[in-house]
Amino acid sequence: MAAGASCRVETIPPFTELGEGPHWDVARQSLYYVSLTNGLIYRLDYHQGKVYSASIDGIRWASFIVPVKGSRDRFVIGDGNRLLEIRWDGLASVAKIVRELANTGPEDVHNRFNDGKADPQGRLFFGTMLREEVGSPFERATGSLWRFCTRTGRLIEQDSGFFISNGLAWSANGDKCYFVDSGANHIKQYDVSQEGDLRNGHVWFDFKRDGKDPGYFGDGMTIDTEGNLYVACFNGFKVVKISPNKEILAEIKIPAQQVTSAAFGGPNLDELFVTTAAKVITTPQKDPAGATFKVTGLGAKGLPMAEVVLDL
């Protein structure tokens, strides 16, 4: 069930505290990602083979980064319970906040944003979870899944009762959405309405076989052109490939324990970029913990990732 002898894993520094949210930008041939806990954003320039990074004035976290459609230097990020538009040229060491797009309100300050992505139509979705300083998100299911409506500037709750909202992926035609709750350690599947809302949510895949903890939990994920999900396994040293028939087809070994997310990229969308964390959450971590990894030779291709459409 391993990924095969032709598979190659390359380490890409720098090492992040909590690498997350990889987004491959086809137009720029760049991989954007974040270090969540210390609020840094990164851009890997594929052709230069160089990584640029920036801090953002006025933020604490950076839980995801998604480019804005029609712009070369505007992005949407999550910071705490604020959804922000920022400006960054991909080179400078400091990025600037342009405006706050929305927030989840004073009644939700105990939560923070976690993973977020745009669906194939450019509608932004993200999940929330309990802030770690408030309590353990593995014990309190306070998180929700949200959609940002650019027409009204409001957040529309899609589902709730989650421990740790995490990976998001959509089918090629956008009619199905997949969502990871790391605390429950399962993947839910939703039908997507014409307006983009998620309906008929149900547990699609459970990492707890026969109720037993596998020793790792599902985190961020992506999808290939055949509908296979690639799910990062935090505490598991791997990414698992799950078929539309809910079978684990392969385990892609990663030389870091805390594997956080994955995204297809490269000129042909056939290279898998995998983020990891160096921040101590389970056991003390050593290099290359926190690096980003490039996996080649998988024999699979990903779908182009969508930019956020802002109508405000």
Side-chain angles (χ1 to χ4, degrees):
M1 197 164 55
S6 62
C7 179
R8 180 187 175 196
V9 180
E10 175 186 338
T11 302
I12 303 172
F15 304 110
T16 60
E17 271 194 15
L18 182 50
E20 273 285 9
H23 179 104
W24 178 259
D25 188 297
V26 173
R28 300 172 181 87
Q29 289 293 288
S30 293
L31 181 77
Y32 292 92
Y33 56 103
V34 303
S35 182
L36 191 155
T37 44
N38 54 345
L40 299 176
I41 56 176
Y42 297 84
R43 181 179 71 91
L44 166 64
D45 187 301
Y46 186 88
H47 295 299
Q48 290 183 4
K50 182 177 181 179
V51 176
Y52 298 87
S53 65
S55 60
I56 308 169
D57 286 341
I59 70 145
R60 176 178 176 187
W61 288 285
S63 55
F64 57 83
I65 180 169
V66 184
V68 173
K69 190 174 181 63
S71 173
R72 294 192 64 83
D73 63 353
R74 293 160 58 216
F75 302 84
V76 174
I77 68 161
D79 170 39
N81 69 339
R82 300 187 301 164
L83 188 65
L84 303 175
E85 180 185 343
I86 66 166
R87 191 176 297 276
W88 184 42
D89 64 3
L91 301 171
S93 61
V94 178
K96 301 291 185 181
I97 296 174
V98 175
R99 55 179 168 164
E100 179 177 308
L101 296 169
N103 65 72
T104 53
E107 68 279 3
D108 202 51
V109 293
H110 59 286
N111 283 334
R112 67 164 175 83
F113 291 1
N114 206 38
D115 209 356
K117 284 183 182 177
D119 75 357
Q121 285 71 43
R123 297 172 293 219
L124 184 70
F125 290 77
F126 61 86
T128 58
M129 57 178 280
L130 189 71
R131 293 181 190 240
E132 289 85 348
E133 64 266 31
V134 176
S136 171
F138 285 97
E139 297 174 359
R140 294 171 59 185
T142 63
S144 294
L145 180 57
W146 299 88
R147 175 171 72 84
F148 174 56
C149 178
T150 58
R151 182 175 54 82
T152 64
R154 300 182 65 180
L155 300 175
I156 303 171
E157 190 176 54
Q158 304 293 298
D159 202 355
S160 61
F162 299 117
F163 292 94
I164 303 175
S165 301
N166 240 313
L168 286 157
W170 284 264
S171 58
N173 63 6
D175 67 337
K176 301 291 183 186
C177 176
Y178 300 89
F179 170 72
V180 175
D181 181 345
S182 298
N185 214 3
H186 63 221
I187 303 171
K188 293 189 77 172
Q189 183 191 74
Y190 298 88
D191 297 324
V192 183
S193 74
Q194 187 173 358
E195 294 76 25
D197 288 315
L198 308 182
R199 305 283 187 245
N200 307 318
H202 61 278
V203 175
W204 180 82
F205 185 90
D206 198 335
F207 287 99
K208 305 182 300 298
R209 299 303 174 95
D210 302 318
K212 296 179 181 178
D213 182 359
Y216 62 84
F217 55 84
D219 203 312
M221 66 178 170
T222 190
I223 193 167
D224 69 14
T225 56
E226 303 298 320
N228 302 299
L229 294 175
Y230 295 71
V231 188
C233 296
F234 195 96
N235 207 37
F237 291 97
K238 63 186 177 183
V239 173
V240 294
K241 177 182 179 179
I242 305 174
S243 76
N245 294 325
K246 309 176 190 179
E247 299 176 9
I248 295 181
L249 300 179
E251 294 185 349
I252 304 161
K253 299 299 183 182
I254 302 297
Q257 183 172 347
Q258 298 175 156
V259 186
T260 57
S261 195
F264 279 99
N268 300 311
L269 293 177
D270 60 353
E271 302 173 11
L272 190 70
F273 291 94
V274 179
T275 53
T276 65
K279 186 177 175 67
V280 176
I281 296 176
T282 52
T283 55
Q285 304 293 297
K286 298 179 181 179
D287 294 347
T292 301
F293 297 90
K294 183 174 75 171
V295 184
T296 54
L298 288 172
K301 293 184 69 172
L303 299 167
M305 297 184 72
E307 299 170 316
V308 176
V309 176
L310 289 185
D311 298 326
L312 294 179

